[in-house]
Amino acid sequence: MKKILVIGSTGQIGSELTLELRKEFGAENVIAGIRKTAPSPKLTETGPCEVVDATDRAQLEAVVKKHNIDAIVNMAAILSATGEKDPMYAWNVNMNGLINVLECAREHKMAQVLTPSSIAVFGPGTPLDNTPQETILRPTTMYGITKVAGELLGDYYVRKYGLDVRGLRYPGIISNETLPGGGTTDYAVAIYYDAIKYGRYTCFVKEDTRLPMMYMPDCLKATIMLMKADFNKLKHHSDFNVGAMSFSVKELAENIKKYIPHFEISYEPDFRQAIADSWPNSIDDSAAREEWGWKPDYDLDAMTRDMLQVLGEKHKAGLI
Ligand code: SER
């Protein structure tokens, strides 16, 4: 991999992943693809940026040619809750964007495509605890449907064209840099911001809702580990389960209370409850551990301490 294009580089994961990739592969070799969100100076000042909407094949093609791109990291996606409000929008960005990326990579004989999947591929019928790598995939959201189709497409391009396509099923990702938007797991991020800013949070899912989650440093580590893994050692390609931690909202709130004793939580479940209920409680990630050595660093308590410290400092500085 010599020149990497990150599509969706202003998103929750893309914004931090682009900076990490610049450290790993050289700043000038990682092009930040931006669709419409104004990029932060952190992105524009540390390396090249280009406007790229993956649903626009001609625009994608032009950027690939201009920079001699030989690897694409496709972080653009419409998440579960936004996808339920506008299913065709989710289909268009998630599917038409991905097929353009794969076709462009195939035609240019690229070295690699990384396109993430999600715990949203699971649904009713999937075992909820320690959800296996190989299991029933019957999602009930448009987001989940596009992620299952994306996994199948990725594996198809590996088998049919020998293209190196990789992907991992991210759990809910918690971070303190860029807010997530339109996901069901967003409560696990918002709770920390509101704990710091207001000392209270109203949660849109019930207290016993338990989902697999991961702190951003582990998400970045997993993504880069998979990108660097030896292709010949991979038995799976586009669908690795990756786990780190699993907690209920009640456990999360109690953990925050350890450090902010006056923190209070209340519950007003909405349509996202049904989405959360259709996803696993915890994930069996033994395939990722065996095939590319996956091991997370953060548990709930270590994440909470870091989140509260970083957000506390940002709040004092008037940034949030
Ligand atoms: N975080 C995503 C969502 O909640 C799941 O991949 O939609």
Side-chain angles (χ1 to χ4, degrees), residues 11 33 35 40 57 62 85-86 110 129 139-140 144 179 185 190 230 266:
R35 192 165 67 111
S40 71
R57 179 69 201 275
K85 289 190 182 140
D86 193 347
M110 286 192 195
D129 293 308
T140 47
L179 284 169
T185 58
D230 181 351
S266 54

Side-chain angles (χ1 to χ4, degrees), residues 235-247:
K235 294 187 202 111
H236 298 85
H237 294 99
S238 307
D239 59 358
F240 283 101
N241 279 3
V242 279
M245 59 183 99
S246 158
F247 49 76

Side-chain angles (χ1 to χ4, degrees), residues 26-78:
E28 67 288 359
N29 297 323
V30 180
I31 288 83
I34 286 140
R35 192 165 67 111
K36 52 181 186 195
T37 318
S40 71
K42 277 187 190 163
L43 273 185
T44 52
E45 286 166 11
T46 58
C49 292
E50 290 285 351
V51 174
V52 192
D53 178 342
T55 64
D56 182 340
R57 179 69 201 275
Q59 192 183 52
L60 175 63
E61 197 66 36
V63 172
V64 163
K65 281 192 186 135
K66 180 175 167 192
H67 292 275
N68 283 319
I69 299 294
D70 71 345
I72 298 181
V73 176
N74 178 37
M75 304 306 294
I78 302 305

Side-chain angles (χ1 to χ4, degrees), residues 270-281:
D270 65 17
F271 73 102
R272 289 168 283 192
Q273 183 69 53
I275 301 176
D277 289 345
S278 75
W279 292 350
N281 299 328

Side-chain angles (χ1 to χ4, degrees), residues 91-155:
W91 177 268
N92 184 37
V93 173
N94 300 1
M95 293 317 307
N96 292 333
L98 176 61
I99 198 78
N100 282 344
V101 165
L102 290 171
E103 273 299 279
C104 187
R106 177 181 72 79
E107 283 177 11
H108 290 270
K109 299 189 171 35
M110 286 192 195
Q112 190 179 107
V113 171
L114 183 123
T115 188
S117 186
S118 159
I119 52 164
V121 294
F122 303 118
T126 303
L128 290 178
D129 293 308
N130 216 20
T131 300
Q133 176 71 41
E134 315 295 347
T135 187
I136 296 164
L137 303 180
R138 289 219 183 102
T140 47
T141 61
M142 181 56 95
Y143 175 63
I145 290 167
T146 65
K147 287 297 173 188
V148 173
E151 289 183 356
L152 294 172
L153 265 180
D155 285 353

